[in-house]
Amino acid sequence: MELPPDSRTLPALYRISSLAGRKDEPRAILLAILKAVIEAVGATSGDISLLNPDTGKLEIEIADETNSAGYDDLSLRLGQGITGWVAFHGRPQLVHDVGLDPRYVRVRDNVRTEMVTPMIGSNGQVMGVINVDGEEPGCFNDTDLELMLILTEEATSVMERHWELQNLRGKERQLQSLISIGQTLVTKLEPEDLFNSLTQDARSITAARACALYLHEPETSGGAARLVAYDGPTPTTLPEGALPLDSCLVASAIHTRRAVEFSNVQSREFVDVIDLPREASLRSILATPLQIEDEIIGVLAIFTDTTHRFNNDEKRLVRALASLGAVALQNSRLYARVFQSEATLRKNEQLTTLGLLAAEIAHEIRNPLTVLKLLFSTLRLEYPDDDPRKTDVRVITEKLDQLEAIVSRVLNFAKAPSSLHSRWNVTDIIEDTLVLIRLKLTQGKIHLRFEPPDIPLVIDVNKGQLQQVLLNLLLNATQVMPNGGTITVSTSVETRAEGGRQVCISVTDTGPGIHPSMRDRIFDSFLSGRPDGTGLGLSIAKRILVSHHGDLELRSTGPEGTTMALLLPLA
């Protein structure tokens, strides 16, 4: 805009332009702008009003300190009053005598002249108005209005830059908070701790009145939501138990798979919903789904204490929190599965040990039992029918046969059923096993390396037993690296001594190695290097592989780490 030949213009523009980049609060900058405008045009009072996006009304943000009486809580609808008209139409107004203008809303009796200019942002939208007053009719002219338009344009540019800078600083703080929250959430393994931490952090970073977390229970008939955490003022009542989705407000976020907001949950239309905390200070709600891939696992609800329209930045922030919460919750569930798998593995080790022990005992009994049967049969003890000893011979023979049948059943039970063997791709078995332990590796700061072979390697095995062996080796590797390290799983094809080819699955760690005194006996039963170890893991693992016509070997060990090799014939 071309500057008018007015000595007031440059000094006033300089005063307003110099406010750009200052770290003052927005109200302080607006007050400085207002004073510069009032002095430049020679007004006696004035104010700056901004549009409230929540109410859609024009509200006085700042008035000059000497003439601010009567401005408290004053708001105008768009089109109401002279300032409302300017905000609605986006055109300036110079009213030489407010008493003759029916649009004027009287606030102070001594106002006679009013000049109002719109603050039009870079997006072309009116975001507020600057208003100045005079106490005499006709105290402003067209030159004053032109000057005020120039100052208003510069003031709008200054405020936009200031708000944008504030917004960037706020986003920086939010990003730092999100990173901190994410680091905290992934350490929460107990679900209750995770739920409470997520709601508390969400309430803090969004400055909300309250925050609630609901879990989605799709397995319930018709679906249900369950409130698992709430942070905010103590409500009259909190919803409990599984809540049917058809009576829940958060169901809309679950069904639509996107954030849904409601402007006032205190209105009558929300009386029948059963999932809201009953607290009179809660007004607007933003419900955002927690989603992992295609599964909705919960809803994060943010409550405000005033009627509020959530902007895109707020929605993005809550969506980021919901994503962090979903990942943390999924991690917690997977950790629980890993711990359960470990417990199952230990139980399987115990059961396998009992079975092997029973098989050993049965095998040791079978040899002398066979000798007894042979020797007894060669005695040819024949007695008359009326001799009681003939009955004794018959009973002894039956009991020897019964003992042999028991021993045979025990030995047959200890064998792995061949019907459970099937052909598997080595890569599939390894990858399925690594899924079970990947979270434990993350928790232990252990890096895993596995590069699948270029061609499929097929083996004929019992998948469950082979996974048990792999899990045992991987868990052993994690336990010898308490401060973190690297586990490398690799595959190769070797030629067997007796002919044919075999696959070698190598598991290498970067631990301290096996103590020299134990290296030759690591596959012995009940030998363990850990106080809490049973000494059965490697012994059982080797027997499983031998039963698959393979073997388990210690390939290398030392200060640089240990390599164990699983050998299995290729199908």
Side-chain angles (χ1 to χ4, degrees):
M1 183 179 292
E2 185 178 350
L3 299 181
D6 194 323
S7 60
R8 302 171 294 174
T9 305
L10 290 178
L13 272 177
Y14 175 76
R15 287 181 61 185
I16 295 175
S17 300
S18 63
L19 298 172
R22 285 171 53 173
K23 295 184 178 181
D24 299 352
E25 288 296 317
R27 286 176 59 86
I29 295 179
L30 286 171
L31 181 59
I33 289 173
L34 180 60
K35 287 182 176 181
V37 174
I38 288 175
E39 292 179 13
V41 299
T44 56
S45 62
D47 60 77
I48 297 179
S49 300
L50 300 178
L51 278 175
N52 186 326
D54 292 330
T55 63
K57 291 184 177 182
L58 194 63
E59 299 177 355
I60 293 181
E61 185 70 20
I62 199 75
D64 67 304
E65 298 172 346
T66 58
N67 297 285
S68 59
Y71 284 92
D72 294 341
D73 301 324
L74 179 63
S75 63
L76 298 173
R77 299 186 306 275
L78 290 181
Q80 181 184 10
I82 298 174
T83 54
W85 188 95
V86 171
F88 183 76
H89 294 280
R91 299 201 303 269
Q93 286 287 288
L94 171 56
V95 181
H96 295 287
D97 190 345
V98 296
L100 301 177
D101 195 318
R103 299 172 300 177
Y104 180 66
V105 176
R106 184 171 296 279
V107 178
R108 296 194 314 275
D109 294 334
N110 59 343
V111 174
R112 292 292 180 268
T113 305
E114 187 169 14
M115 190 162 53
V116 186
T117 51
M119 301 176 69
I120 301 177
S122 56
N123 59 359
Q125 301 295 317
V126 176
M127 61 185 189
V129 297
I130 298 180
N131 168 70
V132 295
D133 306 316
E135 295 182 354
E136 297 294 335
C139 62
F140 301 130
N141 55 36
D142 291 341
T143 301
D144 295 326
L145 180 60
E146 191 174 358
L147 171 60
M148 187 169 169
L149 280 170
I150 295 173
L151 299 181
T152 300
E153 183 179 346
E154 182 63 25
T156 303
S157 177
V158 167
M159 289 310 301
E160 278 193 315
R161 291 197 297 271
H162 179 73
W163 284 324
E164 183 177 356
L165 184 59
Q166 266 204 329
N167 188 34
L168 290 175
R169 288 169 178 160
K171 287 183 177 180
E172 179 189 13
R173 291 191 295 269
Q174 289 176 352
L175 180 59
Q176 291 174 346
S177 298
L178 280 175
I179 294 173
S180 176
I181 290 171
Q183 292 173 339
T184 302
L185 287 179
V186 295
T187 64
K188 305 291 184 182
L189 301 184
E190 292 297 327
E192 187 174 351
D193 292 342
L194 173 60
F195 301 153
N196 292 331
S197 179
L198 178 58
T199 52
Q200 291 168 7
D201 291 336
R203 183 189 179 197
S204 174
I205 196 174
T206 60
R209 175 66 172 171
C211 180
L213 178 63
Y214 302 82
L215 287 189
H216 179 213
E217 299 180 352
E219 66 279 0
T220 306
S221 177
R226 185 185 298 273
L227 179 67
V228 293
Y230 170 81
D231 187 65
T234 304
T236 305
T237 57
L238 271 177
E240 297 181 355
L243 311 171
L245 284 184
D246 55 8
S247 299
C248 292
L249 195 64
V250 299
S252 56
I254 295 174
H255 294 322
T256 62
R257 296 175 176 268
R258 61 181 180 84
V260 181
E261 61 177 306
F262 301 92
S263 60
N264 186 5
V265 295
Q266 298 299 330
S267 58
R268 292 184 178 181
E269 59 185 301
F270 298 102
V271 171
D272 295 332
V273 296
I274 60 176
D275 58 325
L276 293 178
R278 292 305 170 186
E279 162 57 37
S281 65
L282 304 183
R283 286 289 185 274
S284 298
I285 174 177
L286 177 64
T288 304
L290 278 69
Q291 184 171 352
I292 290 291
E293 295 180 348
D294 293 330
E295 180 187 3
I296 302 296
I297 61 178
V299 176
L300 182 65
I302 303 295
F303 297 88
T304 64
D305 54 4
T306 58
T307 302
H308 180 68
R309 181 181 300 171
F310 294 92
N311 58 42
N312 291 334
D313 286 341
E314 291 171 323
K315 291 178 181 179
R316 281 193 290 266
L317 175 61
V318 178
R319 190 160 58 245
L321 281 170
S323 298
L324 287 175
V327 171
L329 180 56
Q330 189 76 344
N331 283 347
S332 175
R333 291 176 174 178
L334 291 175
Y335 272 121
R337 286 175 55 187
V338 169
F339 296 148
Q340 184 178 5
S341 298
E342 280 193 68
T344 303
L345 176 62
R346 299 305 178 193
K347 185 175 181 179
N348 288 342
E349 283 185 359
Q350 294 174 353
L351 293 176
T352 304
T353 302
L354 289 175
L356 292 174
L357 184 60
E360 288 182 358
I361 294 173
H363 186 270
E364 294 301 322
I365 291 175
R366 188 176 201 175
N367 290 334
L369 181 62
T370 301
V371 173
L372 286 174
K373 285 192 66 178
L374 289 172
L375 293 177
F376 186 75
S377 64
T378 58
L379 292 178
R380 296 182 179 180
L381 301 175
E382 298 179 358
Y383 299 97
D385 293 341
D386 58 349
D387 191 326
R389 287 176 297 178
K390 185 172 183 177
T391 301
D392 295 338
V393 170
R394 179 179 58 80
V395 170
I396 291 173
T397 303
E398 290 176 355
K399 294 306 176 183
L400 287 173
D401 291 339
Q402 185 178 359
L403 285 173
E404 186 178 32
I406 292 173
V407 169
S408 297
R409 284 202 303 271
V410 171
L411 291 173
N412 289 332
F413 181 77
K415 294 179 181 179
S418 59
S419 60
L420 296 180
H421 285 231
S422 55
R423 294 195 171 194
W424 293 92
N425 188 326
V426 170
T427 300
D428 293 340
I429 294 180
I430 295 175
E431 289 180 343
D432 289 349
T433 307
L434 296 180
V435 168
L436 297 175
I437 200 173
R438 63 178 181 179
L439 294 176
K440 187 173 182 66
L441 298 177
T442 302
Q443 184 185 25
K445 299 179 181 179
I446 296 174
H447 179 64
L448 177 68
R449 294 176 181 169
F450 171 58
E451 292 186 7
D454 296 332
I455 59 173
L457 302 177
V458 181
I459 51 179
D460 190 355
V461 295
N462 181 317
K463 181 183 179 182
Q465 289 187 335
L466 184 55
Q467 281 190 311
Q468 179 181 343
V469 173
L470 275 172
L471 269 176
N472 185 277
L473 295 181
L474 291 168
L475 289 173
N476 285 348
T478 62
Q479 287 161 348
V480 299
M481 297 185 293
N483 298 319
T486 301
I487 296 178
T488 302
V489 180
S490 60
T491 58
S492 60
V493 176
E494 302 176 350
T495 301
R496 307 186 68 173
E498 61 272 22
R501 296 191 306 162
Q502 65 183 5
V503 61
C504 173
I505 305 174
S506 299
V507 178
T508 303
D509 61 57
T510 55
I514 301 173
H515 194 275
S517 63
M518 299 177 61
R519 292 175 185 174
D520 296 334
R521 299 183 296 125
I522 60 171
F523 298 113
D524 293 350
S525 299
F526 305 107
L527 176 68
S528 175
R530 303 193 315 270
D532 58 341
T534 62
L536 299 170
L538 290 178
S539 173
I540 294 172
K542 189 175 182 69
R543 294 187 189 189
I544 288 175
L545 288 178
V546 169
S547 71
H548 282 74
H549 308 291
D551 202 359
L552 178 62
E553 296 179 355
L554 172 63
R555 286 286 172 95
S556 64
T557 186
E560 296 80 16
T562 299
T563 297
M564 301 293 295
L566 290 79
L567 305 173
L568 289 164
L570 283 169

